[in-house]
Amino acid sequence: MKKYFLFILLYSCSISLIAQNAKQVNSPEMSWWYNQPAKKYWEGLPIATGRFAAMIGGSINQEVIPFNDETLWSGGPYNPNNPQGPQVLEDIRKKILIEKDYTAASKASSRLGSIPLRVQHYQPMGILHLGFNHDEAKAQNYQRKLSMDSATVTITYQLNGINYKREIFASYPDQVVVMRITASKPQSINLKASLSSLQSSAVTQLLNGDIVMNGTTTELNREEYAKKILPAAIKWQSRLKVNAEGGKTNFIKKEGQTGDEIHITNANTVVLILAGATNWVNYNDVSANEKQRCNDYIAKAAKFKYTELKNRHLKDYMPLFASCKIDLGGHEKAKMNTTDRILALRKGAHDPLYISQYFQYGRYLMLAGARENTLAFNNHNIWLDNMEGRWQGRWTLNINIQECYWPVESTNLAGLNESLLTFTEMLAQAGARTAKELYGCRGWVAHHGTDIWFNTAPTDPNPKASVWPMGGAWIMQQLFDHYNYEPDAAYLKRIYPLMKGSAEFILDFLVKDPETGYLVTCPSTSPENNFFTAKGEEASVSAGSSMDNQIIRNLFRNCITAIKVLGEDAAFAKKLEDTMKQLPPHQIGQFGQLQEWLHDFKEMQVGHRHISHLFASYPDDDITLRKTPELAKAVKVVLDRRGNINKGWSGAWKINQQARFEQPEEAYQILKSMLTDISIHPRAEDSDITPSFEGNQGIQGITAGVVEMLMQSHSNELYLLPAVPKDLKDGNIKGLRARGGYGVNISWTNRELKEATITSKFTQTCNLRSKTPVKILLNKQVIKLTKTAENLYTFNVEAGKTYTVLPN
């Protein structure tokens, strides 16, 4: 009998494994893999804990792994505001509103700039060096792979008949990077491990069997910081623990600041644990003990065996990543390495699996770069191997940070919103100081870029970028959208003070334009774009740009909604309603385009990369195909005039715009060309043989754009398959979230709905739109629908129940 039960148990296990393997065959791993080590930094494989990041190059002989902490910045707490701000503001407004001298106003606006005029720099922490004494020329069957499903990098190769494997992951629960090195033959692992840093202050020592490296950041002593050189206030420590199974371990003390090494000879297995920490607490506090922090990370992780560390990592990460799955077909392409697939795509190959993986890469990078209790995603700069970073490593607030978070709600990563909210709560504290000191206003303000010290003043020598006090208000749109996806009064109560503070600043900042009578922002820009004045002169600063008005309307509407839900502050809602009536309306310009400025100026660059004045059509829904058809037509004119010459974050924004207007082929053509694009701002160190993400928010924007092609949920409607292109005619996607508290799965064949399921967290009324007629079932029974327009259906849903949508 016991043998029988044992047989049944073994049989069941076998069936289970077969089923798992079959599932893996049917659903290829979301991964990038290569048959050679990285030759450039940006060809590496990125991993991170949300705070602590590393880039894996995969060298066979001399592995070099740069690692960074998100809080490692130059400088220290400082007040960036020009104390003469209110007087400067008065002069600028006179030039704009009275004298109409926009060129002089643009020049004068530079005096609003922060001191120093640029933000501080994000800087690298350290480099892990691993020497294996392996002959790369003799290695065979090399592969390095990033599995997005498990957030694990593996490097495998054969040498002298021995199979070597490295497995690396960054653990959010334990906040360390872990590597295990194994070999198929006992006593085959020999390596030297050491730490170094680009920071000249770095000093290493051997401490209790670990390599410990301490340092500070590097002071910025150059012309653009001459007005205020900030001493380095950040102290940091990194620590490496190496545990070998078998063999011999020697600790080598060498001369020089970064010369200590750990030597492993004839080991069976080696596990490395790497940690780093700083003394940063918040933008005004550097009182933490970085040594204690770093030691605690190592000490905690060292209590676990490798298998336990890995399981803790997988248990945390895998459910988050697996919460949204997409399958566009093309599974046979999984056999090709990623570089060959990129080269084939450039020659016109069709690779829908690559699109699925690119979609998931956007989600993977967000999970790596921003988690609960970490700061917001900083434009991919958490991965850094030099002292500069992209755009100083700053958070850029005039599109970049917002676009990074666009797919967070719809692709089931709503928890990542917490990182943006934590960031914004600090931004608002610093922004209140800027609002008062620079402008004499209540509330809080942020401009186009900021650093770890939350410099919220204009931070760029060029006013067309810096003189734009709408950064904080745009972030509030993203934070309020979290509420739209899952209405929760407690969350709304938390963000309402931020919303109100932003609105209070705007109320105080608005002035009446004597020519039109409208309340306008002044000074005002359309981010990073210039225009020709009536005199034919070049200028960037004026009053009441269209994007400002659109963001203000969005913020005020959302504040009014919050006030109604929370049942308080009715007088403030009335003030906002009255003010909105006095804002400039949407206007259509001389080319039939949605007007970019208060006056119909001609833009200096017709194909400019920014499409700021299209905020109202995406991410907002103030302009839509059905609600405002004439304005929607004007938006399309802008998209046509701008063209598709710019990719990166700009192209990704256009994908979402085209999808909103149900232009599947237009959206797809941009997407397709972006799959192998290097960057909107290419540099020599960029890679053209790996999926690009360096300094390029296009990946997250593409992820959001794919969702927008397959499902939309704005304007109080849930829309299935609004913009499916011909090349993606068959597929399925699971785990989408829609505004209103809905979970959505969709499958389609030949671009038409095959089946969808909708699950609501709330008992409510659902407005469902589709391209073709549908019927809806609950418990296999067709339910009653009200058809309110062509292929628009209204029906009641109950909380927790799943409704099946089928073609009718």
Side-chain angles (χ1 to χ4, degrees), residues 41-43 55 365 379-381 383 390-391 677-683 685-688 690-697 699:
Y41 177 77
W42 289 112
E43 291 175 7
M55 185 72 84
L365 291 169
N379 302 356
H380 304 95
N381 271 292
W383 294 282
R390 297 283 177 131
W391 307 283
D677 194 48
I678 298 172
S679 176
I680 192 173
H681 304 288
R683 299 189 184 183
E685 68 269 21
D686 293 345
S687 170
D688 62 355
T690 63
S692 171
F693 69 94
E694 64 278 6
N696 178 356
Q697 288 64 54
I699 286 188

Side-chain angles (χ1 to χ4, degrees), residues 544-612:
S545 70
S546 298
M547 188 193 207
D548 288 4
N549 303 322
Q550 294 169 19
I551 290 176
I552 292 169
R553 276 193 287 267
N554 175 275
L555 175 64
F556 285 10
R557 288 196 315 265
N558 292 343
C559 281
I560 293 167
T561 298
I563 288 167
K564 290 178 180 177
V565 171
L566 298 175
E568 56 186 45
D569 227 356
F572 190 66
K574 181 66 166 59
K575 175 67 174 175
L576 297 178
E577 289 172 348
D578 292 342
T579 302
M580 273 199 292
K581 296 174 184 176
Q582 302 175 69
L583 295 173
H586 298 297
Q587 300 181 86
I588 297 177
Q590 58 190 299
F591 303 106
Q593 87 284 10
L594 189 69
Q595 203 163 291
E596 191 164 356
W597 293 276
L598 179 63
H599 303 290
D600 194 11
F601 299 126
K602 287 186 178 180
E603 64 268 60
M604 289 240 356
Q605 187 181 355
V606 175
H608 195 271
R609 63 191 180 279
H610 279 266
I611 52 172
S612 303

Side-chain angles (χ1 to χ4, degrees), residues 170-200:
S171 169
Y172 173 73
D174 295 304
Q175 286 297 308
V176 292
V177 169
V178 183
M179 176 188 291
R180 182 177 66 172
I181 305 168
T182 58
S184 61
K185 181 180 177 182
Q187 301 181 354
S188 296
I189 300 174
N190 299 278
L191 68 86
K192 297 178 181 179
S194 62
L195 298 178
S196 72
S197 176
L198 296 178
Q199 304 286 353
S200 60

Side-chain angles (χ1 to χ4, degrees), residues 127-142:
I127 303 168
L128 169 62
H129 302 268
L130 299 175
F132 294 94
N133 195 27
H134 284 174
D135 188 342
E136 296 195 16
K138 294 182 179 180
Q140 296 177 320
N141 300 322
Y142 177 92

Side-chain angles (χ1 to χ4, degrees), residues 144-155:
R144 62 185 175 99
K145 180 180 72 172
L146 168 65
S147 167
M148 294 177 252
D149 295 296
S150 62
T152 303
V153 170
T154 54
I155 298 161

